[in-house]
Amino acid sequence: MKKMLNGTRDLQLFEVLESEVRSYCRSFPTKFQKATGYQLWDSNGNGYIDFFAGAGALNYGHNEPQMKQKLIDYIMRDGVAHSLDMATEAKERFLSEFNEIILKPRNMTYKVMFPGPTGTNAVESALKLARKVTGRQTVMSFTNAFHGMTLGALAVTGNKFKRAGAGVPLNHSISMPYDGYMGKEIDTLKFIENYLQDSGSGVSLPAAIIVETVQGEGGINVASSEWLKGLERLCKAYGMLLIVDDVQMGCGRTGTFFSFERSGIQPDIICMSKSIGGYGLPMAITLMKPEHDQWSPGEHNGTFRGNNLAFITATEALRYWKTSQFAADIAVKADKVKRSLQRIISNYPELNGEHRGLGLMQGIALEEGVAEQISQLAFEKGLIMETSGTNSEVIKVMPPLTIDMEGLETGLQLLEQCMNDIKLEARAPIANV
Amino acid sequence: MKKMLNGTRDLQLFEVLESEVRSYCRSFPTKFQKATGYQLWDSNGNGYIDFFAGAGALNYGHNEPQMKQKLIDYIMRDGVAHSLDMATEAKERFLSEFNEIILKPRNMTYKVMFPGPTGTNAVESALKLARKVTGRQTVMSFTNAFHGMTLGALAVTGNKFKRAGAGVPLNHSISMPYDGYMGKEIDTLKFIENYLQDSGSGVSLPAAIIVETVQGEGGINVASSEWLKGLERLCKAYGMLLIVDDVQMGCGRTGTFFSFERSGIQPDIICMSKSIGGYGLPMAITLMKPEHDQWSPGEHNGTFRGNNLAFITATEALRYWKTSQFAADIAVKADKVKRSLQRIISNYPELNGEHRGLGLMQGIALEEGVAEQISQLAFEKGLIMETSGTNSEVIKVMPPLTIDMEGLETGLQLLEQCMNDIKLEARAPIANV
Amino acid sequence: MKKMLNGTRDLQLFEVLESEVRSYCRSFPTKFQKATGYQLWDSNGNGYIDFFAGAGALNYGHNEPQMKQKLIDYIMRDGVAHSLDMATEAKERFLSEFNEIILKPRNMTYKVMFPGPTGTNAVESALKLARKVTGRQTVMSFTNAFHGMTLGALAVTGNKFKRAGAGVPLNHSISMPYDGYMGKEIDTLKFIENYLQDSGSGVSLPAAIIVETVQGEGGINVASSEWLKGLERLCKAYGMLLIVDDVQMGCGRTGTFFSFERSGIQPDIICMSKSIGGYGLPMAITLMKPEHDQWSPGEHNGTFRGNNLAFITATEALRYWKTSQFAADIAVKADKVKRSLQRIISNYPELNGEHRGLGLMQGIALEEGVAEQISQLAFEKGLIMETSGTNSEVIKVMPPLTIDMEGLETGLQLLEQCMNDIKLEARAPIANV
Amino acid sequence: MKKMLNGTRDLQLFEVLESEVRSYCRSFPTKFQKATGYQLWDSNGNGYIDFFAGAGALNYGHNEPQMKQKLIDYIMRDGVAHSLDMATEAKERFLSEFNEIILKPRNMTYKVMFPGPTGTNAVESALKLARKVTGRQTVMSFTNAFHGMTLGALAVTGNKFKRAGAGVPLNHSISMPYDGYMGKEIDTLKFIENYLQDSGSGVSLPAAIIVETVQGEGGINVASSEWLKGLERLCKAYGMLLIVDDVQMGCGRTGTFFSFERSGIQPDIICMSKSIGGYGLPMAITLMKPEHDQWSPGEHNGTFRGNNLAFITATEALRYWKTSQFAADIAVKADKVKRSLQRIISNYPELNGEHRGLGLMQGIALEEGVAEQISQLAFEKGLIMETSGTNSEVIKVMPPLTIDMEGLETGLQLLEQCMNDIKLEARAPIANV
């Protein structure tokens, strides 16, 4: 069993100089220095296993050696670092490889847009395009969706606290029940179709449906393949574009490169960011079917849409997808996580846990407050795990996809120890809240 | 005199795979490979003088050697690359140095927020905060303003084409005439105050005024110091926050670190991006007076708000501001540019040029179509210059601030040659349109 | 059996001079001249039984003799006709009698507002007030709701065609499923509560719920008393105001003065218009619980909010409610209508009719197109009936409440004849579409 | 000189039962009973001269004898009172006479719409239509405009207090400076055109401009004929519709039937209400050029759009316009008012009055607070006058157009007495506030 962390954690400078908006540094209150693969070290030399993976931006782990080498080589030879949307060799190579390794083998024909290097930018560009292509304004989104923090993306995000931050009403969106939101017995697709086909429903025909195939921030809610296919059918029937926000679930997080592969759908627009850059460098792409590429030049732009350092690492990251081995490895690890979580749940029935998720986006839903306690305990033991769900009720297991079996095992053991500690606390005469 | 460019420019792959939204690669149609300081080279070995500077993201030039070294060192030692808003040593050092080198010597007390690594993100966060602090919704912006492409920032941007791209109405903003917009004889401040104080004006009191001290995209329009002071006075009188968008004009572009230093105002909120990262890496900060730091933790967030590679180069870039030498150097170069442009204007009276700008954000306003021709001619001669203004009527001289006198001289000579070519064309029997 | 109508129907002048927006004159294409009780006559002397009752504005029939006499007396003695919201004797008497005859016996304490003489005005004032009292912006409305045609009321109306007429997006409202909208087995209240209590639902807490207890325009959908009580409970639990739009269902249409009496709820705000004036004269009132009367003087106004001629007839109309006799009479007639409609439905099973409604707001839902044919046939036979529902699929029986049994009988027989004609047509070798 | 008013003014019942929103009954705190021509009487037998004219709804005076007789005849013979938009003889006659007496002699070809019986309804219908015809959303309105209290009309109204009453943001409108708003030396038309033609102005092309030729509520601001013509020119140049809101200024208030006749413009859409019904009965019409009549049937509707009693009096009112005599009479009275007001202003230079207006819409702008005092004093002397302007700084002379010279004289003398009383007060040692 791992010892508790050493050293003082002097974060005073952050408290004085950085805005109150800071957040993860409150959950993981130490100063990080170094990282490789699935491990992080702080200034006091404490090591941490990373079951957080940069909220999905580090699917290939920290400072992956081959990407690192390519990155250094590029910088050393004075490769263009910043280029807006001018043509560069680095960008050309990314486009070419992405097409060869990702799109072609999946029989996908898409144009690639560089909308600015963040997920919210990809979403904003997707919403603009869908509205332009259809000439409609409303976009249908889902309960517990998370799509970003700029005004357009925020309008299709479910979280009330985040929405309230806008300070203005968020309009031109309609929030429909996600798969399973109304309980297992009710098919929310049917409800949605009612609203679309009934000319008295008060809802105008949307330009698009924007959906995550698994809602990560929303509590690890998995949409069934049938439901996703149903959405695609509705989109075709009512002239809407289907936008899949694969910012967090893409790049292998759920087991395949695109998270929707399991369902067989072909979205009209796909938003990617986070791990697309490979190394945790800011980058985003928006994919669109060629017939929807109705942009005028410069109609959407952004200073950092040509982050060539990210193109270098992004291209290198594609190497993982050249064969089916990587997906097969993820499947093995996912299975291990699933079995471990199920065992933990059954070992601690008092905690009333519910397994959630698939691929390496799994977790346990717990009673309110418990997941946050576990996250805190885990941190003390050297394991970084975040919570999700509206009330932070889900503890998330989300390691780099490249984690080895030993790291996975160790992390899961630490998680189990936290469950045990919680249970012990629950039994103790005076509860520690 | 420089020869015309060599080689074929094979951009076919971009045409096939990249979205029609691409823009600068149409103005500068070649594939770039390498860059240092104020120079770029394409795949055919052609060299270019850079009077564009990444639209203001490369104030310190391409691949500045000291930043480059620090960057490589950090990557080599597996420094944390991606960290969301967790505390890292790289971030701590940036915060500390920014406070010591920039804020303290200017008697400025501000909290720093990392809103996501783009200018539009900084603007979105500023708008949210101003609305939260004041409890009001409307934000006053200006004719020909440019603040970004996500929905909140777009609502305070003036350009109709960009606005139309939203596909939904852009609300909660009011566009007022910028300094000089109604001609020299009319004081737009007075007009604005009328609207604020008259309870019949149809305009509710705004949460904030957002302003660029010089409008770069809008055509290099310079607001006078008196006008900026007047805005500050109006903000105090009517309980509005003053937001300066220093994304493009900050980091020395107009001659001082903050562009508003010449006016002596102290904005409530300051948005910075582009050159803040030093090396062209995506980074943005939002500065706010401590009393306005009313954020709840996580109320605004973003995956790439902890781009540590940018923190490393950003910290190194601050070195330029440790003494007053850098500002003094910029002043000398600015003066040279000014005299050259004025001479060019007087040498080619037929072109009816008007000098615009200050610092190293200068240009010549020309009749519609001419500036675009010059930009194209310049590219053929190996000089990268962009246009600005609603109708692209202004040719922009915007080199890296670190350019040496020789580079500056060469670029300005190439510009003059373009003017001459245009003039010759104008005289030629058959005009080339 | 009644003969077909006589005479030419010269509506040419309307076609030339009146806007294409005209509507009922297309369904009932003749020129009306005279009317009493439940009967109308056109310029050719044709008589019509009125099962339409001014869309609910003529609950006491046309030109009711006692109101008519009071009206003439008032005009003859030069009583003030128009008075904005100045105090007049006519208004005082209405207020006093409304309080004595309607409010007090029902243990209701409400303030009365005169918001302008139309239903949509009453709704606009109710929405403003609810937003002011709660400081919230969104209002929850229902599928197939109808609340009016001005922009605020239209935003809470369900019909897509009407909504599209706005020409701008209709915001700050959320359309929830009405009682029964998702089928009998699904409790829409539970769905609504989910959205309210889940902080990830994408819906901010509404200022108010606005509801019709029976949706007239929406297809005669009756909300159960339990559902209405549930809405009241939700309003209390989530700090929302409950607004009942009793514009069409009030004044006895469903059997009691207020349509919600059957459910025992006490709405925070009640909108009334149509029959409140008694004689078909424009008038509306908005009732609010005294604690919600947070208006500033003149915060909502309107030129015709003091229509004294309507106050005179409105006061006289209250006479009907002095005893329980009127309600008892309505119940007898409602029962007769119900039995007749059920018999008709069972006599013509091919027409697949479904009984809808209660009180003297009843009808038969039919397959698309049939109800409109019946309305047309009925008109030819001298019976005025309109359709409702999103696709005009419901034929509406909505006579004046004062109709006698003979008139009711005759009208119902004519309706049955229409059903028979339709059935005959259906059997005929060549269908007449 | 008139004595002060007699009797108690028992308004307690209104205070208890009517909403706090009531307004004019606070300015004129007595209970009115009877009225003819330009005179009103209260329950205590006090008589009042009416310089208010129902805020413009009583241009033909109270209970005009010929309209009264026609109204009684129609009611007596059981003419249809309420008919939605069905064809009636009363409506046909109004349409026909309006065309013959008003439109044809002015060479105007317009279709007539009955949008519901209030001014705000007429405005809402005009805005909808302009948006439909142009496919645009924004509407340009003016500082200090007043167009109504429902959400669409409120969005083009200038008054902040009224706007705030909406409780939601009012969008899709832009408030431009009215003629003279920026001082005499600045041509606001030029400013407006700048915004329209500059693609960087932040303002999208509007669907329409809505304007009052004289702003009554806004403080009696008169637009010059040149300015109105300029608006018409801008509308043609930029594909916008010109909407004149003639609700208060129409029906002769400014000297001609339509208020814009002095300028020679031909608006695309005209909104009328208030005095169009003649007798103070609720009625409104929207006139549109035939090519703009692109309504679908029922796209805008309303229960009381067929107020036949108003059609009867409206038709009778048209009699006034059969010859040029009525306009000539108004001109004589207007001249008398103008001379009287100018004399009063020069007699009391301490009060710093400024003459405003034309026709029988005139007034005196005074220092804040003075106009309200005068209104109160006038009421005590038996003269009903309201104030207007954002700060109620203008005292309004707005008698029925049918007032005789004696009545006019008496009223103006009472006004002069009030000025004298104010002046005396000002001199008194202790000011009575």
Side-chain angles (χ1 to χ4, degrees), chain D residues 295-310:
Chain D
W295 289 110
S296 299
E299 198 171 358
H300 181 92
N301 61 25
T303 296
F304 293 117
R305 64 201 188 279
N307 182 8
N308 289 279
L309 302 196

Side-chain angles (χ1 to χ4, degrees), chain D residues 350-369:
Chain D
E350 315 85 305
L351 295 180
N352 227 337
E354 179 196 327
H355 176 260
R356 297 267 179 93
L358 84 174
L360 285 172
M361 170 58 80
Q362 296 187 46
I364 306 177
L366 293 154
E367 273 155 37
E368 214 174 311

Side-chain angles (χ1 to χ4, degrees), chain B residues 137 143-144 158-160 163 169 171-172 175-177 181-182 186 191 194-196 198-203 390-391, chain D residues 137 143-144 158-160 163 169 171-172 175-177 181-182 186 191 194-196 198-203 390:
Chain B
Q137 299 189 328
T143 49
N144 291 304
N159 188 286
K160 278 184 203 186
R163 290 176 72 86
N171 293 319
H172 314 304
S175 179
M176 283 281 160
Y181 186 75
M182 295 157 78
I186 298 178
F191 178 68
N194 263 8
Y195 262 73
L196 292 172
D198 176 5
S199 61
S201 68
V203 172
T390 306
N391 302 304
Chain D
Q137 299 188 329
T143 50
N144 291 304
N159 188 286
K160 278 185 203 186
R163 289 176 73 85
N171 293 318
H172 315 304
S175 178
M176 283 281 162
Y181 186 75
M182 295 157 78
I186 298 178
F191 178 70
N194 262 8
Y195 262 72
L196 292 171
D198 176 6
S199 61
S201 68
V203 172
T390 307

Side-chain angles (χ1 to χ4, degrees), chain C residues 232-250:
Chain C
E232 188 181 50
R233 182 181 55 75
L234 287 184
C235 283
K236 290 206 169 99
Y238 293 93
M240 309 178 289
L241 302 198
L242 180 59
I243 304 171
V244 169
D245 178 341
D246 237 9
V247 168
Q248 191 175 55
M249 292 305 139

Side-chain angles (χ1 to χ4, degrees), chain B residues 377-418:
Chain B
L377 282 167
F379 176 73
E380 296 298 325
K381 292 177 199 297
L383 174 66
I384 310 261
M385 296 183 78
E386 76 164 333
T387 63
S388 78
T390 306
N391 302 304
S392 301
E393 75 277 12
V394 180
I395 185 81
K396 244 165 147 180
V397 175
M398 200 176 152
L401 308 180
T402 54
I403 194 168
D404 58 27
M405 289 309 258
E406 191 192 329
L408 200 56
E409 183 64 39
T410 310
L412 289 165
Q413 280 169 9
L414 289 173
L415 171 58
E416 183 150 13
Q417 286 168 23
C418 297

Side-chain angles (χ1 to χ4, degrees), chain A residues 144 175 198-201 203 390, chain C residues 144 160 175 181-182 199-201 390:
Chain A
N144 291 305
S175 179
D198 176 6
S199 60
S201 67
V203 173
T390 307
Chain C
N144 291 304
K160 279 183 202 186
S175 178
Y181 186 74
M182 294 157 78
S199 61
S201 68
T390 307

